[in-house]
Amino acid sequence: MSATEGQRGSSTLEPAHPHTHLAFAQSRALRPSTKVLPEHARNHNRSLVLQTLYRTGRQSRADIARETGLTRVTVSDLVNDLIAERLVIEMGQREDARPGKPATILDIDRSAFQIVGIDLSEHSLFRGAVLDLDGQILNEAEIALAGSTGDDAVAKVLALTEQLLAKTTAPVLGIGIGSPGVVNLDGVVLSAPNLGWHNLDLRAQVEARFGHAIIVANDANAAALAEHSFGGADGDLMIVKVGHGVGAGLLLGGSPLYGSRFAAGEIGHVVVGTDGGALCVCGKHGCLETWLSTPNLNLAIEVLRASGASEAEVDARTNLILIEAGQRLGIALAPIVGALNLPEVVLSGPTELLDGPLAQATIETLRNRTMAEFHGDLTLRMTTLGQNIVLRGAAVMVLSGQLGVS
Amino acid sequence: MSATEGQRGSSTLEPAHPHTHLAFAQSRALRPSTKVLPEHARNHNRSLVLQTLYRTGRQSRADIARETGLTRVTVSDLVNDLIAERLVIEMGQREDARPGKPATILDIDRSAFQIVGIDLSEHSLFRGAVLDLDGQILNEAEIALAGSTGDDAVAKVLALTEQLLAKTTAPVLGIGIGSPGVVNLDGVVLSAPNLGWHNLDLRAQVEARFGHAIIVANDANAAALAEHSFGGADGDLMIVKVGHGVGAGLLLGGSPLYGSRFAAGEIGHVVVGTDGGALCVCGKHGCLETWLSTPNLNLAIEVLRASGASEAEVDARTNLILIEAGQRLGIALAPIVGALNLPEVVLSGPTELLDGPLAQATIETLRNRTMAEFHGDLTLRMTTLGQNIVLRGAAVMVLSGQLGVS
DNA sequence: CGAGTTTGTTCGTAAGCTTTACTAACAAAC
DNA sequence: GTTTGTTAGTAAAGCTTACGAACAAACTCG
């Protein structure tokens, strides 16, 4: 019997029935699935320090200690590591006059690393950018898709990546790729019909070629992360991407929802309403995409324009088309928004189509079809990040994966 | 400069641009929000050991070490703590003949503690039970609600709790309560209209009276946990509770979804379909509850019986009513199931209504309205836990909150 | 100028997990 | 009956990590 054993035995014994509290109360830990070693804890705290610096910027070690609850000693130690890794720099002493030794201001060296972000979700081209650690775009590039699919499309991803890497002017933190379709956590594109990809290990292919840290995820999930980190949204939101197809990304408690088969957010082929609808390429009638995808909307509007009606007539009937589309979106979203108690829905896509009668009709329909108590919390708006939302989301994935920061 | 600093500085310096990998790659940690101390890590590992014992049962220290990845030494140390706390007991040596020193079999002492579970979700009574650590019901009790609301209803909760505590025959691990309505993480019932509760701190009231660890949560969330822990469902599921109202509980990745205002799963007042529907108490037309709640279904069937039609005719038209209800449920669930990529929907409620044409119509409607690729993964079934689902879910909450086990 | 305040570091300590090495206890094979 | 090899569990030592105490530096304020 060891001394340790004896001590513990007597110190942790519980009082007897019926009034027993266990000494420790596991806060809300559900199903711990892997062991935790001291180094994991250290990494966590390291990220915590980075995180506070990333969000607040320009703080002293003592500031960070107060905010994180760690001691100044521990923060100093972690910061020393971060400085040695060139991630954090000392910015000189704090200016403002107050008692005590002046603080040494720290900040993440936001120009020390760069991120390559790539967006594969557009119909006719792949877009990419070099971004700094703040998610600001430093350089852009694009490559026409020209109908490429399969390995040809992969080659274009690699070519674009190469172009972008050539434009970097600092060490590369990682490469983030937002791809359409169903992507698993290992960066394997399980299915992206438009690109002819099935079980394509895109992450491995890019890594084999360039050797950086690569993260591949669904484009809408990337967009949701961007909206959270850079668009001012909080941690619970749904982003609806309207384009050639319709897809969604869900962020719950700050984390993307992937779904049991990584197909969360694939709402384009959910049937909307109980009154039929147009035939969809998938074979069903009345899928959300038949109401809402940009090709379908633009087609309807062009038919209208070619009809020879007056301009006022065309405008009025265009509005009706957009309102109908918005209502259909609202009908589809209402059960989701209600079931998830979502406070925020964000639209991404062509502003001229979405940002007006369509969005208005969507929010009205949502309110008409969900619980009234809940309406005060419910907002629907266009993204503030425009076309770069997936690129910036790809950067968030890299930041989050490499630094634990976002 | 300390030796430590010098070592770290030189050992963690990164190679130069453009080919940089940071020494550590944060696996998938998102936004660390609090510091982690060694004791937290220890608690986590402690729960990990308990968890493997809870699920597998009857293992040796070496077995646990192999399964968790911890060393035998660490497992021994943790197990000694657990034995001192009376949570784990040695069961003697392993029987089967194999080389080497025979193993000492351990198990959680499943009779060492008991749990009180309470279900407030039924319309006319509160039900409760004493359960063991396996979630088996040892003793039951109930108390007629008799129309009580507000403080009267609270008094009945306390009375029922007292009855149950009197029936316990071992130290009480905690008290779990599944309440209808909107419940926040602190056990405050923000809103439960049927009970006349608004911002009622039920957890505090029960704790003040009995002083145990109390967990209060939404009934459907509790049911979802029960279905996962005891009903054989995996970590992603939606449970739909049909009763006086209609509510749902969502489990994503093994964790309940609470929603931004703790109202996740409140789908009873989502409008279904685009063709009107009956007027709901909430003022809207065609809410899910108007199609599916047991009072409404029973009323419709009774009207039918009183109509003087033949028995065959009544049966046939009853079937039509149930099929219609099932279709409406499917219409409401399709966007949710699609958006979340949910593999499993479980129904809880009166078997005679749900388990037949209704469930059949629901699954068919779901399949007709979601992506075909996804159908192979999609199952819909009745719960296997019957009426005790919320009670047992309440026990899971206590197990998970107190031991990190479920 | 002295008192008080704040910063950041150094030193020693406690906790937690690992590695290494050991003993105990067994089966199998000779 | 002995040897060999395996498995279980313990003991000791060491490393990592975070903490508290103490302190020097540098500033403000009265």
Side-chain angles (χ1 to χ4, degrees):
Chain A
M1 70 212 94
S2 74
T4 310
E5 192 180 2
Q7 278 171 10
R8 289 191 183 157
S10 59
S11 69
T12 55
L13 273 179
E14 296 304 319
H17 171 242
H19 220 100
T20 300
H21 271 254
L22 290 182
F24 90 111
Q26 197 72 11
S27 47
R28 292 193 185 276
L30 283 174
R31 296 198 171 241
S33 55
T34 50
K35 63 177 174 178
V36 170
L37 302 183
E39 68 199 84
H40 299 135
R42 173 115 177 147
N43 271 347
H44 178 100
N45 289 334
R46 191 192 113 112
S47 287
L48 182 58
V49 168
L50 267 178
Q51 174 84 3
T52 60
L53 266 180
Y54 187 75
R55 297 166 68 92
T56 315
R58 302 186 61 78
Q59 287 176 298
S60 71
R61 293 166 174 85
D63 293 335
I64 297 172
R66 275 185 293 266
E67 192 164 328
T68 60
L70 295 163
T71 62
R72 292 201 307 271
V73 178
T74 303
V75 170
S76 273
D77 195 37
L78 289 166
V79 164
N80 284 343
D81 283 6
L82 293 170
I83 289 177
E85 291 176 41
R86 307 274 190 266
L87 270 168
V88 167
I89 47 176
E90 295 191 338
M91 310 278 290
Q93 292 193 343
R94 177 173 278 148
E95 298 289 320
D96 57 346
R98 45 178 204 179
K101 174 179 171 180
T104 309
I105 296 299
L106 305 169
D107 200 356
I108 289 186
D109 185 351
R110 289 156 203 270
S111 62
F113 292 90
Q114 291 174 357
I115 299 169
V116 171
I118 294 178
D119 175 5
L120 310 181
S121 68
E122 287 187 42
H123 185 240
S124 57
L125 56 83
F126 289 163
R127 290 169 14 92
V130 179
L131 305 96
D132 66 16
L133 294 189
D134 278 326
Q136 297 299 318
I137 290 179
L138 305 175
N139 241 311
E140 293 185 83
E142 58 184 53
I143 190 167
L145 194 44
S148 301
T149 60
D151 289 344
D152 290 348
V154 173
K156 301 220 163 171
V157 173
L158 295 175
L160 178 59
T161 307
E162 188 156 35
Q163 278 183 45
L164 289 164
L165 284 173
K167 296 188 181 193
T168 59
T169 56
V172 173
L173 188 64
I175 302 173
I177 302 178
S179 166
V182 179
V183 185
N184 75 8
L185 293 179
D186 298 322
V188 177
V189 180
L190 300 178
S191 165
N194 289 341
L195 294 171
W197 289 349
H198 298 278
N199 293 317
L200 172 75
D201 194 341
L202 187 58
R203 199 197 71 83
Q205 293 212 30
V206 178
E207 189 184 35
R209 174 77 173 275
F210 302 109
H212 288 283
I214 318 287
I215 299 188
V216 183
N218 173 269
D219 58 329
N221 277 339
L225 285 169
E227 197 60 40
H228 175 37
S229 293
F230 303 128
D234 85 344
D236 292 285
L237 73 94
M238 179 177 199
I239 185 148
V240 178
K241 280 197 73 197
V242 178
H244 207 250
V246 176
L250 282 159
L251 206 67
L252 299 176
S255 301
L257 180 78
Y258 297 104
S260 69
R261 300 288 181 179
F262 311 104
E266 298 288 324
I267 57 171
H269 296 284
V270 167
V271 176
V272 186
T274 46
D275 51 358
L279 178 64
C280 182
V281 292
C282 76
K284 300 196 297 293
H285 284 266
C287 290
L288 187 57
E289 280 195 13
T290 65
W291 297 103
L292 204 62
S293 76
T294 52
N296 285 338
L297 283 176
N298 284 328
L299 181 65
I301 292 170
E302 271 173 39
V303 166
L304 204 58
R305 288 216 178 101
S307 71
S310 73
E311 193 174 323
E313 177 79 359
V314 166
D315 282 359
R317 287 169 64 186
T318 299
N319 255 10
L320 289 181
I321 290 173
L322 295 176
I323 287 172
E324 171 90 55
Q327 287 172 341
R328 294 291 162 167
L329 179 58
I331 293 168
L333 294 186
I336 304 170
V337 163
L340 304 185
N341 186 211
L342 273 180
E344 195 164 11
V345 177
V346 179
L347 301 181
S348 168
T351 310
E352 69 278 11
L353 292 177
L354 302 181
D355 194 10
L358 195 157
Q360 190 60 35
T362 305
I363 182 70
E364 278 171 16
T365 305
L366 269 179
R367 288 179 194 275
N368 287 336
R369 298 175 74 95
T370 55
M371 272 206 305
E373 293 85 350
F374 173 47
H375 293 168
D377 295 325
L378 179 59
T379 64
L380 182 141
R381 61 174 174 84
M382 287 294 295
T383 175
T384 56
L385 302 177
Q387 286 214 308
N388 296 323
I389 186 165
V390 175
L391 292 180
R392 301 185 69 184
V396 174
M397 301 190 303
V398 172
L399 281 168
S400 151
Q402 293 294 100
L403 305 182
V405 153
S406 59
Chain B
M1 75 206 89
S2 74
T4 311
E5 193 181 2
Q7 278 172 11
R8 287 188 186 158
S10 59
S11 69
T12 55
L13 273 180
E14 296 304 318
H17 172 240
H19 220 102
T20 300
H21 271 256
L22 289 182
F24 89 110
Q26 198 71 12
S27 45
R28 288 190 190 278
L30 282 173
R31 297 198 171 238
S33 54
T34 50
K35 63 177 175 179
V36 170
L37 301 182
E39 67 199 85
H40 299 136
R42 175 111 177 149
N43 271 348
H44 178 102
N45 289 336
R46 191 193 114 114
S47 287
L48 182 59
V49 168
L50 268 178
Q51 173 84 3
T52 60
L53 267 180
Y54 186 77
R55 296 167 67 92
T56 315
R58 300 187 61 80
Q59 285 176 299
S60 70
R61 293 167 174 82
D63 293 334
I64 296 172
R66 275 185 292 267
E67 193 165 328
T68 60
L70 294 163
T71 61
R72 292 200 305 274
V73 178
T74 302
V75 169
S76 274
D77 196 37
L78 288 166
V79 163
N80 284 342
D81 283 5
L82 293 169
I83 288 177
E85 291 176 41
R86 307 274 190 268
L87 270 169
V88 166
I89 46 176
E90 295 191 337
M91 311 278 290
Q93 292 194 344
R94 177 173 278 150
E95 298 289 321
D96 56 346
R98 45 177 201 179
K101 174 180 172 179
T104 309
I105 296 299
L106 305 168
D107 200 353
I108 290 186
D109 185 351
R110 289 157 202 268
S111 62
F113 293 92
Q114 291 175 357
I115 298 169
V116 171
I118 294 179
D119 175 5
L120 310 181
S121 68
E122 289 188 41
H123 185 238
S124 56
L125 55 83
F126 289 163
R127 288 168 18 89
V130 178
L131 304 97
D132 66 17
L133 294 189
D134 279 327
Q136 297 299 319
I137 291 178
L138 305 175
N139 240 310
E140 291 185 84
E142 59 184 53
I143 190 165
L145 194 45
S148 302
T149 60
D151 289 344
D152 290 349
V154 173
K156 301 219 163 167
V157 174
L158 296 174
L160 178 59
T161 307
E162 188 157 34
Q163 278 183 45
L164 290 164
L165 284 173
K167 295 187 181 190
T168 60
T169 57
V172 173
L173 188 65
I175 302 172
I177 302 178
S179 166
V182 179
V183 185
N184 76 8
L185 293 179
D186 297 322
V188 177
V189 181
L190 300 178
S191 163
N194 290 340
L195 294 170
W197 288 349
H198 298 278
N199 293 315
L200 172 75
D201 194 342
L202 187 58
R203 199 197 71 81
Q205 292 212 30
V206 179
E207 189 184 33
R209 173 75 173 275
F210 302 108
H212 287 285
I214 319 287
I215 298 188
V216 183
N218 173 270
D219 59 328
N221 277 339
L225 285 168
E227 197 60 40
H228 176 38
S229 293
F230 303 128
D234 84 344
D236 292 284
L237 74 94
M238 179 177 199
I239 185 148
V240 178
K241 281 197 73 196
V242 178
H244 206 250
V246 176
L250 282 159
L251 207 66
L252 300 176
S255 301
L257 180 79
Y258 298 104
S260 69
R261 300 287 181 179
F262 310 105
E266 298 288 323
I267 57 172
H269 296 285
V270 166
V271 176
V272 187
T274 46
D275 51 358
L279 178 65
C280 182
V281 292
C282 77
K284 301 196 297 292
H285 284 267
C287 289
L288 187 56
E289 280 195 13
T290 64
W291 298 103
L292 201 64
S293 74
T294 52
N296 285 338
L297 283 176
N298 283 328
L299 181 66
I301 293 170
E302 270 173 39
V303 167
L304 205 58
R305 290 215 175 103
S307 70
S310 73
E311 195 174 322
E313 177 79 0
V314 166
D315 281 359
R317 287 170 63 187
T318 298
N319 257 10
L320 289 182
I321 290 172
L322 295 176
I323 287 172
E324 170 90 56
Q327 287 171 341
R328 294 289 163 167
L329 179 58
I331 292 168
L333 294 186
I336 303 170
V337 163
L340 303 184
N341 186 212
L342 273 179
E344 194 165 12
V345 178
V346 179
L347 301 181
S348 168
T351 310
E352 69 277 13
L353 292 177
L354 302 180
D355 194 9
L358 195 157
Q360 190 60 36
T362 303
I363 182 71
E364 279 172 15
T365 305
L366 269 179
R367 287 179 194 276
N368 287 336
R369 298 176 73 95
T370 55
M371 273 206 305
E373 293 85 352
F374 174 48
H375 294 167
D377 295 326
L378 179 60
T379 64
L380 180 141
R381 61 175 174 84
M382 285 295 294
T383 175
T384 56
L385 303 178
Q387 286 215 307
N388 297 323
I389 186 166
V390 175
L391 292 180
R392 299 185 70 185
V396 174
M397 301 189 302
V398 172
L399 281 167
S400 151
Q402 294 293 100
L403 305 181
V405 152
S406 59

